[in-house]
Amino acid sequence: MTTDMDDKSARGEREQLILRAAMKVFTRKGFHKARMADIATEANVSYGLAYHYFESKDALFDSIQAWWWERLFKRLDEIALFRKPVSEKLEAIVAYLLDLYHEEPELVHVFITEMSRSSQTLTVESLNNFKRFIGSVDTMISLAQKKKQIRTDVRSRYLTYMFLGGLETVVSSMVLERQPLDNSQARDRLLKGVLDVFLTGALGRTSA
Amino acid sequence: MTTDMDDKSARGEREQLILRAAMKVFTRKGFHKARMADIATEANVSYGLAYHYFESKDALFDSIQAWWWERLFKRLDEIALFRKPVSEKLEAIVAYLLDLYHEEPELVHVFITEMSRSSQTLTVESLNNFKRFIGSVDTMISLAQKKKQIRTDVRSRYLTYMFLGGLETVVSSMVLERQPLDNSQARDRLLKGVLDVFLTGALGRTSA
Amino acid sequence: MTTDMDDKSARGEREQLILRAAMKVFTRKGFHKARMADIATEANVSYGLAYHYFESKDALFDSIQAWWWERLFKRLDEIALFRKPVSEKLEAIVAYLLDLYHEEPELVHVFITEMSRSSQTLTVESLNNFKRFIGSVDTMISLAQKKKQIRTDVRSRYLTYMFLGGLETVVSSMVLERQPLDNSQARDRLLKGVLDVFLTGALGRTSA
Amino acid sequence: MTTDMDDKSARGEREQLILRAAMKVFTRKGFHKARMADIATEANVSYGLAYHYFESKDALFDSIQAWWWERLFKRLDEIALFRKPVSEKLEAIVAYLLDLYHEEPELVHVFITEMSRSSQTLTVESLNNFKRFIGSVDTMISLAQKKKQIRTDVRSRYLTYMFLGGLETVVSSMVLERQPLDNSQARDRLLKGVLDVFLTGALGRTSA
DNA sequence: TATGAATGAGCTTTCATTCAT
DNA sequence: AATGAATGAAAGCTCATTCAT
């Protein structure tokens, strides 16, 4: 899996340091209870330096969001180009999230706890990102419907919700209980599980 | 559907007034940006009075949570006693949420945006409520597995996550876009859709 | 001399207390170096109470300005109606300032040091107040020119500047050296002096 | 008119650059709202460099003051030596200010708005400069009184205040409204006006 | 019950100043 | 000479909470 770390190291080292410290503190205390002082301390950096790199606490949070969405959309765009059945595309999405959780647990944590809900941070812009995210998956699914790869008697939008909702909840349960995903077998089992349940349902193929 | 309003009317009328005002303001501004003054204003009440009924802002929020969980667990317990296939139990859960969203959209909104995520409010107690909630559904599902009503090759916990996650995301999409659910046809379609996708998967029965 | 104290006592007592404390602190330290904490301490009042009554430090300053202008314009309007030669009108203006300095030295101090110059606080609105002030005196003077009470070979605007400038500087010298004006003889001498020099010039009547 | 530029060009060119930038920024935003960063930007210089030349923001302001007073006292001392009637000496003072305003409007602006009032910057030293300034004019006037060139029934101090106050207000009105004084006719009219009103008063010679 | 004035800890943000390069 | 990253004290403002009435 390609990593976007490349452009990260291009950014100021200190900036990265602060960004990562912020993610840690947001993970630990949540956005609102996190104080800039905590972030600076976590980064072993003076109070003012955080403001040297980021205009405000909100701007810092926005940078994290931007980072998240940038990576995600980049990967989604790659996946959309796959010349493979929808099942493999969806599998790649699940894999992306699980692997990112392994690499950057704090980033995923912040996404789950601070971005994905929390009306406080739901600006018009972030709502648009969500719409683009959902829309992107929706496109894959409705394409699959056209190719008769999956059922057509349910609107693609609902299939999308069920897929993303299930995926998010599985990830959430790991995030909130801070379960590491260091075991690649566990990762594969989860991967297959999510996908299989989504595709064949709780009844499974035996329903035939 | 029975309503728990009965015990609500038992509480002081003013108390209810304040509680509902709080839900509205939390819905509008989120917990952290909501000020006690806003809530008092919304309730047309002095803000000293809010403290007469609720010890603190947190206590006020806790009351809302308690209300939510009380209703939910009561209903779940009823559903658990159904002598019916798991599909009907799950359908009753979906129906509960959709109907509650129709009745008390703010309550569901606060649940989605403030309670279900947001590490700020994730106290040990609320985490326990989530565990009990998930555990309750898990029990229904593993019971069904024992009765061979559903597939047994996936751990009940994951089936539970996929079900609740899908359900939550469908509800979320309504909540966040503030879509009313006043049409009973739409409600039934949604109900069947969620259930059917969960049970038979994205491939549907045709996968046989 | 009528006093506007009446409407002041109508305002909240505490509000007045804070306003006066602010004037004292502004007089002592200047607007910028004055901290809200200083003002609260001076007023023997908690920090937050100042914000209960005044939205911000600027708003507090604006209130002082408003008070100043309100009193001044009220008096100027009265004076303008005098059916007397211009010399008596101008004398009344000088008397107003000298007496106000006796009554409310801090108010005059703040006017001299913070309002009358200091581009920081020169908003469009306060500039307009100055223009109205100068315009009001200008009107008296040009009226006197039409009645041939005073020379007509110099534009009324310049006569106004010379009068107000001289007056302000005399008052400034008292203010900046914190000279009290408790002696009514001194007050009268000053009053006559300013007026006589303005009217008959440095050469005096002997210039004839 | 001789210029003090000689010693200015002796100073570092960059130092001058920064000094002028500071005057511009002080003129635009006032001393307190002016940030060192603004001054550096205005001078197209890094803000570390400003500290290379000036110990602090206050020191920078002090340099501007010193420049102002140095020029003024030099000129006043020259004028004091004139073997001419007081009217010509006072005329030379007015001329100095008007011409300086033409040459260095920002310097005069800073004097009017930041130095001449504003208790914040009124240090003991600057107060002494004011006293020396006023004293210098006072000396000219009391000398004229001894020679019976002007009236002796008013204390020289008050005549001085009336003269300087009128002059300052006339200049202020130009400064605050940012009127250029590029027309030499206007300059002469102003010059004669100020002097004539001060000498013969609002009643003029016709008062005889 | 009901009010809203009063309190003050806590937080974000600014910006003069220092210093390694 | 020159740069600008780094520091941290200082100050404005918010708002949950208390309490006298």
Side-chain angles (χ1 to χ4, degrees), chain B residues 111-158:
Chain B
F111 171 72
I112 292 290
T113 57
E114 299 295 331
M115 294 163 61
S116 80
R117 295 294 143 80
S118 213
S119 50
Q120 314 137 39
T121 51
L122 267 186
T123 62
V124 175
E125 202 193 330
S126 74
L127 208 54
N128 283 339
N129 279 322
F130 273 105
K131 284 181 182 165
R132 181 173 160 198
F133 173 32
I134 291 168
S136 187
V137 177
D138 198 344
T139 302
M140 294 180 197
I141 284 180
S142 56
L143 199 67
Q145 284 182 323
K146 274 183 202 131
K147 294 186 184 170
K148 304 288 179 192
Q149 289 173 2
I150 54 174
R151 66 195 291 177
T152 56
D153 60 335
V154 175
R155 287 204 280 167
S156 62
R157 175 75 16 156
Y158 290 112

Side-chain angles (χ1 to χ4, degrees), chain B:
Chain B
M1 175 160 297
T2 56
T3 142
D4 301 315
M5 295 301 163
D6 312 45
D7 72 68
K8 270 165 37 193
S9 49
R11 299 185 205 173
E13 209 181 308
R14 292 295 252 266
E15 199 174 337
Q16 266 307 305
L17 197 67
I18 293 166
L19 215 56
R20 287 187 175 283
M23 291 196 307
K24 271 186 199 161
V25 178
F26 289 157
T27 292
R28 206 187 308 133
K29 313 181 87 172
F31 177 76
H32 269 96
K33 290 199 173 166
R35 289 169 300 154
M36 286 300 266
D38 296 327
I39 294 170
T41 302
E42 176 73 40
N44 267 316
V45 138
S46 84
Y47 60 92
L49 197 61
Y51 280 92
H52 189 76
Y53 289 107
F54 302 93
E55 261 197 355
S56 67
K57 191 181 162 187
D58 282 323
L60 188 45
F61 186 66
D62 287 345
S63 287
I64 295 173
Q65 296 207 62
W67 185 22
W68 167 269
W69 291 119
E70 197 186 330
R71 293 181 70 149
L72 179 60
F73 290 137
K74 189 176 170 192
R75 184 68 188 137
L76 280 179
D77 290 347
E78 289 168 5
I79 293 170
L81 295 177
F82 283 7
R83 298 183 162 281
K84 295 181 181 170
V86 72
S87 60
E88 291 189 39
K89 293 183 181 177
L90 298 181
E91 187 180 330
I93 293 173
V94 179
Y96 174 78
L97 263 185
L98 294 181
D99 292 336
L100 186 57
Y101 177 64
H102 182 58
E103 269 179 62
E104 307 268 2
E106 272 99 9
L107 182 55
V108 178
H109 194 119
V110 169
F111 171 72
I112 292 290
T113 57
E114 299 295 331
M115 294 163 61
S116 80
R117 295 294 143 80
S118 213
S119 50
Q120 314 137 39
T121 51
L122 267 186
T123 62
V124 175
E125 202 193 330
S126 74
L127 208 54
N128 283 339
N129 279 322
F130 273 105
K131 284 181 182 165
R132 181 173 160 198
F133 173 32
I134 291 168
S136 187
V137 177
D138 198 344
T139 302
M140 294 180 197
I141 284 180
S142 56
L143 199 67
Q145 284 182 323
K146 274 183 202 131
K147 294 186 184 170
K148 304 288 179 192
Q149 289 173 2
I150 54 174
R151 66 195 291 177
T152 56
D153 60 335
V154 175
R155 287 204 280 167
S156 62
R157 175 75 16 156
Y158 290 112
L159 291 173
T160 303
Y161 287 157
M162 293 296 288
F163 171 67
L164 291 178
L167 172 56
E168 193 202 333
T169 301
V170 166
V171 174
S172 288
S173 76
M174 295 188 313
V175 162
L176 294 179
E177 297 182 0
R178 288 180 167 71
Q179 291 174 351
L181 192 69
D182 35 24
N183 181 327
S184 92
Q185 276 194 341
R187 175 232 185 236
D188 289 343
R189 187 153 27 88
L190 217 51
L191 182 61
K192 295 293 177 198
V194 168
L195 210 68
D196 199 45
V197 173
F198 173 66
L199 290 174
T200 67
L203 301 180
R205 288 199 188 87
T206 62
S207 68

Side-chain angles (χ1 to χ4, degrees), chain C residues 180-200:
Chain C
L181 192 68
D182 35 24
N183 181 326
S184 92
Q185 276 194 341
R187 173 228 186 242
D188 288 344
R189 189 155 25 88
L190 216 51
L191 183 60
K192 294 295 178 196
V194 167
L195 211 68
D196 201 46
V197 173
F198 173 66
L199 290 174
T200 67

Side-chain angles (χ1 to χ4, degrees), chain C residues 17-83:
Chain C
L17 194 69
I18 293 166
L19 214 56
R20 287 186 175 285
M23 291 196 306
K24 272 186 200 159
V25 179
F26 289 156
T27 292
R28 205 189 308 134
K29 313 182 87 172
F31 176 76
H32 271 96
K33 290 200 175 166
R35 292 170 297 143
M36 285 301 263
D38 297 327
I39 294 170
T41 301
E42 176 71 41
N44 265 318
V45 136
S46 84
Y47 196 85
L49 196 62
Y51 282 95
H52 190 78
Y53 288 107
F54 302 94
E55 266 196 354
S56 66
K57 192 180 159 188
D58 282 320
L60 188 45
F61 186 66
D62 287 346
S63 289
I64 295 173
Q65 296 207 65
W67 186 22
W68 165 269
W69 291 119
E70 198 186 329
R71 292 182 69 148
L72 180 59
F73 290 137
K74 189 176 169 192
R75 184 69 189 136
L76 280 179
D77 290 346
E78 288 169 6
I79 292 170
L81 296 177
F82 283 7
R83 297 182 160 281

